[in-house]
């Protein structure tokens, strides 16, 4: 299994957490920030990111603001109030999952 497949199921949580921490961001900015934070270990493709952003927007977790930058429209994504609440819930679920995985992978430490 490739490491990126491990992240694939967590992409929504990763995006929500990043927007929660950084505020408004556009797609390319999100991909670069994830690469920076993970020192290049996780590369999010446009083909994975934009469907995730659209899904989160359709669920009412994200809103979009379009600004013109260098005479080109740019979509900035940001969390709605529901998105902020959902981010807290997903992060709590992720922490619990990581704790369970740690116990399963290191039973002598439990």
């Amino acid at each position: 299994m490739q490491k990126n497949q491990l992240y694939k199921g967590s992409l929504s949580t990763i995006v929500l957490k990043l927007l929660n921490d950084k505020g408004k961001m556009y797609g390319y900015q999100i991909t670069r920030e994830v690469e920076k934070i993970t020192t290049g270990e996780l590369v999010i493709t446009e083909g994975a990111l934009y469907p995730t952003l659209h899904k989160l927007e359709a669920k009412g977790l994200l809103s979009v603001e379009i600004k013109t930058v260098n005479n080109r429209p740019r979509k900035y994504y940001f969390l709605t109030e529901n998105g902020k609440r959902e981010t807290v819930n997903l992060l709590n679920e992720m922490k619990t999952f990581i704790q369970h995985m740690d116990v399963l992978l290191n039973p002598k430490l439990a």
Side-chain angles (χ1 to χ4, degrees):
M1 178 184 291
Q2 294 179 351
K3 63 184 167 195
N4 279 353
Q5 287 178 317
L6 292 171
Y7 292 111
K8 190 174 183 180
S10 304
L11 187 54
S12 291
T13 305
I14 292 167
V15 169
L16 291 171
K17 170 72 167 120
L18 191 56
L19 291 172
N20 187 63
D21 292 350
K22 302 287 184 174
K24 292 180 186 176
M25 298 179 80
Y26 56 96
Y28 181 76
Q29 186 180 22
I30 292 170
T31 63
R32 293 294 147 243
E33 189 65 22
V34 169
E35 284 184 42
K36 178 181 157 190
I37 291 169
T38 65
T39 60
E41 288 295 314
L42 176 58
V43 176
I44 299 174
T45 64
E46 289 181 17
L49 178 63
Y50 286 100
T52 298
L53 290 170
H54 297 149
K55 181 180 78 171
L56 294 171
E57 184 183 0
K59 287 183 174 182
L61 303 179
L62 298 182
S63 283
V64 174
E65 180 180 301
I66 300 175
K67 291 185 178 181
T68 301
V69 178
N70 297 326
N71 293 323
R72 294 176 58 190
R74 182 178 284 168
K75 271 187 168 182
Y76 285 87
Y77 298 89
F78 60 95
L79 296 178
T80 62
E81 288 304 314
N82 284 341
K84 291 174 185 176
R85 285 189 292 276
E86 183 64 11
T87 300
V88 170
N89 292 337
L90 287 173
L91 291 175
N92 286 332
E93 287 178 16
M94 183 64 73
K95 287 176 188 174
T96 301
F97 173 76
I98 290 168
Q99 289 170 346
H100 290 151
M101 288 302 295
D102 194 37
V103 169
L104 288 169
L105 297 173
N106 301 297
K108 292 181 182 179
L109 299 177

